Amino acid sequence: MAKKVFNFNPGPAVLPKEVLQTVQAELLDYRGTGMSVLEISHRSAEYEEINNQAMALFHELMGLGDNYKIAFVGGGASTQFALVPLNFLAKGQTAAYVDTGEWAAKAHKEAKIVGQTHLAASTKEEKYRRIPKLNEIKYPTDAAYLHITSNNTIYGSQYQWWPETGTVPLVCDMSSDILSRQLDFKKFSMIYAGAQKNLGPAGVTVVIIRDDLLAKAQAGLPTMFQYKTHVDKLSLYNTPPVFAIYIVKLVLEWIKKQGGLVAVEKVNRAKQERIYQMMDLYKDYYRGTVDPDSRSWMNITLRLPSEELEKKFLSEAKAAGFVGLKGHRDVGGIRVSLYNALPLEGAELLASFMDAFKKAN
Ligand SMILES: Cc1ncc(COP(=O)(O)O)c(C=O)c1O
């Protein structure tokens, strides 16, 4: 029997137990083929079915029409930081970026290599403790696009409101909160996300692009760098990361089985409430690093009164079966990552542990 732990890792992160069990059960003989899914061709009927189902499930769960195209690509979300401007920032145009943390800043940095950019808003001076208000986000009305990062994995902030960009395409890095709550995904012209937090294992990035933006893509890029290549070839231009996509498909089925994003949101709401309630109860002890209206449901960041107490907290938490709670080195302290696959029980038990730890220390 594996040791029972609650996995709060920030990514790669916890996967649904049921999904791992299916992977295990199917690993040596994928549905009667006599081969592992690791061994079959990406051009086989079996893989084609996996690929098509995964795309259809994204459409279904996100409520997207046929005008949104899905592609599965390698290279991580970090590669999209460069491919977005390469594809959509034409010469003479300006791309606008909101800086709400390290990943947002990295996306902006890559765009600067490609072309002209504009910093639409930044909360860096405030140690990224909040998401800018809508009226603080300013950009040219003819910008190529506005890029935002919906959830800031390191700093623990998350958008609870969305810029209304009119004719300017809204592009969003949703790596750390995709499919965690109900959302009008049609607000976005493009969404991308590395799989390794809410969708599956590392190795695949999902890219979702609306037709009208795709039509504006730059020609003349190397073939693999063009989003159009992957869309037109249904992510089969070259060999895709098949095992990762297979697991993503299982995770999407798991989400659907629970009742889709309505059900997922309900559990995620309850999980973050348990932790923030404990922090609000002992606010001089569990010191949140983010303003309440910008709090993330996915990554909760906090400091304790001293680094010694933080070390003690982490080591006692680990001994009690709560792993992966160490904060990112840029923030320090504690980071509680509550991705979709982390069960409510994990958040409840961690909240009780926090209560007991505070009383004892
Ligand atoms: C919001 C966000 N964007 C981008 C990245 C980078 O993703 P990758 O490692 O897949 O390039 C991360 C990684 O944690 C992230 O949290």
Side-chain angles (χ1 to χ4, degrees):
M1 260 282 276
K3 182 164 130 188
K4 170 140 172 139
V5 299
F6 288 103
N7 178 354
F8 293 91
N9 275 319
V14 59
L15 285 164
K17 189 129 278 165
E18 278 168 64
V19 166
L20 293 175
Q21 282 162 344
T22 304
V23 174
Q24 185 181 41
E26 293 184 337
L27 191 65
L28 295 185
D29 179 8
Y30 184 70
R31 306 199 176 174
T33 56
M35 292 175 283
S36 172
V37 68
L38 288 159
E39 301 172 304
I40 60 174
S41 166
H42 60 294
R43 312 251 173 235
S44 64
E46 286 79 14
Y47 181 71
E48 197 182 327
E49 191 185 10
I50 291 170
N51 193 37
N52 291 343
Q53 284 180 352
M55 285 191 278
L57 282 160
F58 273 112
H59 273 111
E60 183 181 341
L61 291 168
M62 298 171 86
L64 298 173
D66 291 342
N67 58 334
Y68 281 88
K69 301 293 184 291
I70 318 264
F72 302 122
V73 296
S78 300
T79 299
Q80 311 319 307
F81 295 168
L83 293 186
V84 167
L86 282 171
N87 279 266
F88 301 122
L89 175 52
K91 222 178 164 149
Q93 281 190 312
T94 300
Y97 280 77
V98 181
D99 174 20
T100 49
E102 195 159 314
W103 298 113
K106 281 189 170 151
H108 189 190
K109 177 171 167 250
E110 294 302 297
K112 281 188 208 161
I113 298 171
V114 175
Q116 176 95 21
T117 71
H118 167 84
L119 183 62
S122 173
T123 51
K124 186 175 182 184
E125 294 297 312
E126 298 158 69
K127 294 199 175 123
Y128 294 125
R129 56 175 306 119
R130 65 183 186 91
I131 299 293
K133 294 278 179 296
L134 288 181
N135 61 9
E136 295 174 84
I137 301 176
K138 298 203 166 73
Y139 51 92
T141 50
D142 62 349
Y145 56 82
L146 176 71
H147 181 282
I148 61 172
T149 310
S150 53
N151 183 71
N152 299 287
T153 324
I154 294 173
Y155 289 91
S157 65
Q158 188 179 30
Y159 280 77
Q160 309 300 344
W161 51 85
W162 304 100
E164 293 295 341
T165 54
T167 54
V168 175
L170 184 57
V171 174
C172 186
D173 174 2
M174 280 195 195
S175 292
S176 52
D177 68 348
I178 191 166
L179 303 189
S180 64
R181 54 181 170 170
Q182 289 174 276
L183 206 65
D184 181 7
F185 293 101
K186 296 198 218 60
K187 280 186 189 305
F188 303 91
S189 294
M190 175 173 174
I191 294 166
Y192 62 90
Q196 65 271 22
K197 295 158 203 306
N198 261 340
L199 296 177
V204 63
T205 302
V206 60
V207 172
I208 301 166
I209 311 178
R210 204 168 60 204
D211 284 342
D212 55 337
L213 180 62
L214 196 58
K216 292 191 212 157
Q218 297 294 295
L221 292 175
T223 312
M224 276 296 285
F225 296 178
Q226 295 177 31
Y227 284 127
K228 222 172 158 308
T229 301
H230 303 289
V231 166
D232 289 350
K233 299 286 182 194
L234 302 173
S235 308
L236 286 165
Y237 172 73
N238 72 326
T239 316
V242 293
F243 194 53
I245 295 166
Y246 156 69
I247 298 178
V248 168
K249 188 211 79 160
L250 295 177
V251 170
L252 298 177
E253 285 173 347
W254 172 81
I255 291 176
K256 183 178 169 180
K257 205 168 107 191
Q258 289 177 66
L261 298 191
V262 177
V264 166
E265 173 175 320
K266 202 168 154 211
V267 178
N268 284 338
R269 179 185 299 279
K271 285 176 344 196
Q272 53 88 30
E273 269 169 13
R274 298 296 187 280
I275 306 300
Y276 284 123
Q277 272 164 7
M278 201 48 68
M279 287 165 59
D280 288 340
L281 182 64
Y282 301 127
K283 53 179 173 303
D284 296 331
Y285 194 78
Y286 293 123
R287 304 165 182 179
T289 63
V290 166
D291 290 354
D293 65 359
S294 298
R295 282 173 167 179
S296 169
W297 285 23
M298 294 283 103
N299 311 98
I300 301 181
T301 48
L302 57 141
R303 303 296 311 250
L304 268 64
S306 71
E307 286 189 12
E308 263 158 41
L309 276 172
E310 287 168 348
K311 271 197 198 121
K312 190 165 186 228
F313 181 94
L314 288 169
S315 95
E316 289 185 17
K318 192 170 174 197
F322 306 108
V323 300
L325 288 166
K326 192 172 186 334
H328 188 276
R329 60 192 176 279
D330 289 346
V331 180
I334 315 296
R335 169 169 53 173
V336 183
S337 297
L338 301 172
Y339 300 123
N340 287 352
L342 190 277
L344 176 58
E345 186 196 4
E348 283 171 342
L349 291 174
L350 180 64
S352 305
F353 172 85
M354 288 168 72
D355 191 25
F357 186 86
K358 155 72 177 73
K359 285 173 179 150
N361 295 277

